[in-house]
Amino acid sequence: MTRILIRNAHVVNEDTGFDADVLVAHGRIEKIATSITGQDADLDIDAAGQWLLPGMIDDQVHFREPGAPHKASIASESRAAVAGGITSFMDMPNTNPATLSVAALEDKKQRAARRSVANYGFHFGVSKDNLDVVAALDPQLVAGVKVFMGASTGDMLVDDPRVLERLFASVPTILLAHCEHTPSILANEASMRERYGEAIGPELHPLIRDAEACYRSSSLAVELARRFDTRLHVLHLTTARELALFEPGPLAGKRITAEVCAHHLLFDDRDYAGLGNLIKCNPAIKTRADRDALRQALLCDRLDVIGTDHAPHTLEEKSRPYAQAPSGLPLVQHALPALLELVADGVLPLAQLVRKTSHAVAELFGIHARGYIREGYWADLVLVERLPEPRPVWQEPLLSHCQWTPFRHHAFRHRIATTLVSGQLAWHQGRLVEGCQGLPLSFRR
């Protein structure tokens, strides 16, 4: 399909809402007007007042390719993403092999070019041995550079002060940081083992990976960024204490920014009793007070974007005892509908949600011609249906390869009716549309 007409939509874009028709032609938004007539279209969609939003751009996913096909793939998870209203993603480097070389980066791009339904970008990884490669990167070839300042596996943990200083001084583009202080975590874990032996349960996860471990690492990252004038983006904030490290206000001009993830806005430590290892993630979901502080920080723009940190594991792996169960949970199919529950509850204005999931992500990473509903921009669009009554999640097919969700027993008041990716129909009327191929994100740097 080269021309798609969406009629009678309520467009939510750039902090305003208005009724309009939108014409898509050859992948781009050709026209936005009160009424568009006399146009031949391959597909005519009557939105009947549904919300038309720019597609969510997810700045942090783990699609597990290459290296873990039993957990996920670019093909499976991009399909789950478009079903959930995510039209573009940026994948993390801790695959197998890790994305620590230009060759590994190009391999992932080629895989996505063959298999991704959503638009795609890839973050480059840091180890203590590839700093010269990082410093020589072309900023237009990567979404960002990711450093694990704690709590990583393999050879991607970077906690040597001299290596960190060199990285912060030489990184040629935006630096993304996972911040947890590993020595604090190990000390907390030893203390819990001394107290509980092998009976440690998931409810202790936020006490092992506690607020102090997060703050010690994130405060170091911010200090280094200020010292070296690094463009720093701290991932998945989880605590009220850390918020003081970041300035409120508009994104424009900020050199230090922060992300919050959907699950840290939607769950708190009371949920371990029912979900256990299913919500075990790093950094940990913490207290209700922390969750509420994160929500408030979105309203004053102290937190700049919302991502998912989608990180699927098999249900068998998650069913192991706490110490053996991996951290991470699948989120892309349900993140946007779940976040719309905050809108329905009056916690977050819809325009603010759109800004944090689309506009601000495009601006923060310098993504060209995406993230807004504007004439001439790529048509990454999502129609959201407001349901007459909440619909249980279990009634919908699960598209992530792992076949489970922490939202299984939830019911949502909105669902994704239609998703367009670069002007192509990707999801419509409750099913995937074959033939959609995502495009590589391009960056203005």
Side-chain angles (χ1 to χ4, degrees):
M1 294 179 184
T2 58
R3 296 174 70 81
I4 299 174
L5 178 61
I6 302 173
R7 295 182 293 108
N8 304 316
H10 184 74
V11 178
V12 182
N13 185 58
E14 301 190 67
D15 295 320
T16 189
F18 56 94
D19 297 330
D21 295 353
V22 176
L23 178 65
V24 174
H26 307 291
R28 305 269 184 164
I29 299 170
E30 183 172 283
K31 188 176 182 180
I32 305 168
T34 303
S35 178
I36 299 175
T37 59
Q39 296 287 338
D40 292 327
D42 299 295
L43 178 65
D44 187 315
I45 299 173
D46 184 0
Q50 292 176 348
W51 292 336
L52 182 64
L53 317 179
M56 181 172 174
I57 305 172
D58 195 344
D59 72 332
Q60 182 181 192
V61 303
H62 301 264
F63 280 1
R64 307 299 190 198
E65 185 177 348
H70 67 292
K71 296 179 191 281
S73 68
I74 291 172
S76 65
E77 306 316 285
S78 66
R79 283 159 173 75
V82 299
I86 294 172
T87 53
S88 301
F89 66 85
M90 287 170 264
D91 187 65
M92 285 298 169
N94 53 326
T95 46
N96 185 18
T99 316
L100 299 173
S101 68
V102 173
L105 175 68
E106 288 304 316
D107 174 69
K108 290 176 80 170
K109 288 182 178 180
Q110 290 172 19
R111 290 169 182 266
R114 294 191 300 268
R115 303 166 191 166
S116 182
V117 175
N119 306 312
Y120 53 88
F122 294 97
H123 298 300
F124 200 82
V126 179
S127 74
K128 65 181 186 301
D129 301 317
N130 78 333
L131 294 188
D132 289 338
V133 177
V134 170
L137 281 174
D138 181 345
Q140 294 187 356
L141 297 182
V142 296
V145 172
K146 168 73 176 291
V147 58
F148 288 88
M149 291 180 63
S152 180
T153 56
D155 58 357
M156 292 189 68
L157 172 61
V158 180
D159 56 1
D160 184 314
R162 293 168 299 178
V163 175
L164 286 171
E165 287 179 359
R166 184 180 167 197
L167 170 66
F168 275 73
S170 63
V171 63
T173 188
I174 185 168
L175 180 65
L176 287 67
H178 177 132
C179 293
E180 291 184 283
H181 185 246
T182 301
S184 297
I185 294 169
L186 294 176
N188 290 339
E189 186 175 28
S191 175
M192 292 297 176
R193 288 194 179 281
E194 204 171 287
R195 185 174 178 183
Y196 296 103
E198 295 302 313
I200 296 177
E203 71 281 357
L204 298 178
H205 192 58
L207 303 180
I208 294 172
R209 293 177 176 269
D210 64 2
E212 177 66 17
C214 292
Y215 184 82
R216 289 188 65 172
S217 185
S218 55
S219 60
L220 172 61
V222 169
E223 187 275 322
L224 288 168
R226 288 175 176 158
R227 192 194 319 170
F228 295 105
D229 193 31
T230 313
R231 178 63 187 87
L232 174 68
H233 183 53
V234 180
L235 298 167
H236 40 46
L237 265 285
T238 61
T239 72
R241 184 181 179 191
E242 290 173 283
L243 294 171
L245 298 169
F246 303 92
E247 296 296 325
L251 178 64
K254 285 186 179 181
R255 296 287 292 169
I256 299 173
T257 53
E259 172 211 66
V260 64
C261 287
H263 47 299
H264 295 122
L265 294 168
L266 298 164
F267 297 109
D268 61 58
D269 58 1
R270 298 168 300 173
D271 293 303
Y272 288 103
L275 292 169
N277 290 333
L278 296 184
I279 57 168
K280 180 186 177 185
C281 57
N282 300 338
I285 291 165
K286 296 186 174 65
T287 68
R288 184 177 187 179
D290 287 313
R291 184 207 68 178
D292 291 347
L294 297 173
R295 292 178 176 184
Q296 288 299 311
L298 283 172
L299 296 174
C300 70
D301 295 325
R302 197 179 290 273
L303 290 171
D304 301 286
V305 300
I306 302 173
T308 70
D309 197 14
H310 172 87
H313 299 281
T314 68
L315 198 55
E316 183 277 327
E317 289 169 326
K318 283 297 222 176
S319 299
R320 295 170 186 168
Y322 165 77
Q324 287 79 50
S327 292
L329 52 158
L331 287 156
V332 290
Q333 186 172 346
H334 300 107
L336 187 54
L339 290 165
L340 285 165
E341 290 297 295
L342 299 181
V343 174
D345 289 337
V347 174
L348 191 64
L350 178 58
Q352 184 90 327
L353 177 62
V354 169
R355 180 144 45 95
K356 299 300 182 182
T357 56
S358 301
H359 305 336
V361 190
E363 297 297 335
L364 194 153
F365 288 93
I367 301 171
H368 178 65
R370 299 188 191 274
Y372 293 88
I373 301 178
R374 293 173 176 171
E375 292 179 357
Y377 270 53
W378 287 103
D380 297 329
L381 303 171
V382 174
L383 277 171
V384 174
E385 179 183 2
R386 287 161 286 173
L387 300 171
E389 58 183 39
R391 183 176 177 85
V393 169
W394 63 263
Q395 292 184 5
E396 305 286 348
L398 294 177
L399 298 180
S400 285
H401 183 73
C402 66
Q403 288 291 293
W404 65 272
T405 172
F407 296 109
R408 178 169 176 77
H409 298 294
H410 289 233
F412 296 145
R413 286 167 278 186
H414 304 85
R415 69 174 172 182
I416 307 305
T418 301
T419 303
L420 269 62
V421 174
S422 297
Q424 306 161 81
L425 200 62
W427 175 262
H428 189 53
Q429 297 179 342
R431 62 181 60 190
L432 290 164
V433 179
E434 293 302 320
C436 181
Q437 174 60 57
L439 298 179
L441 300 176
S442 59
F443 304 96
R444 305 185 310 269
R445 293 169 182 165

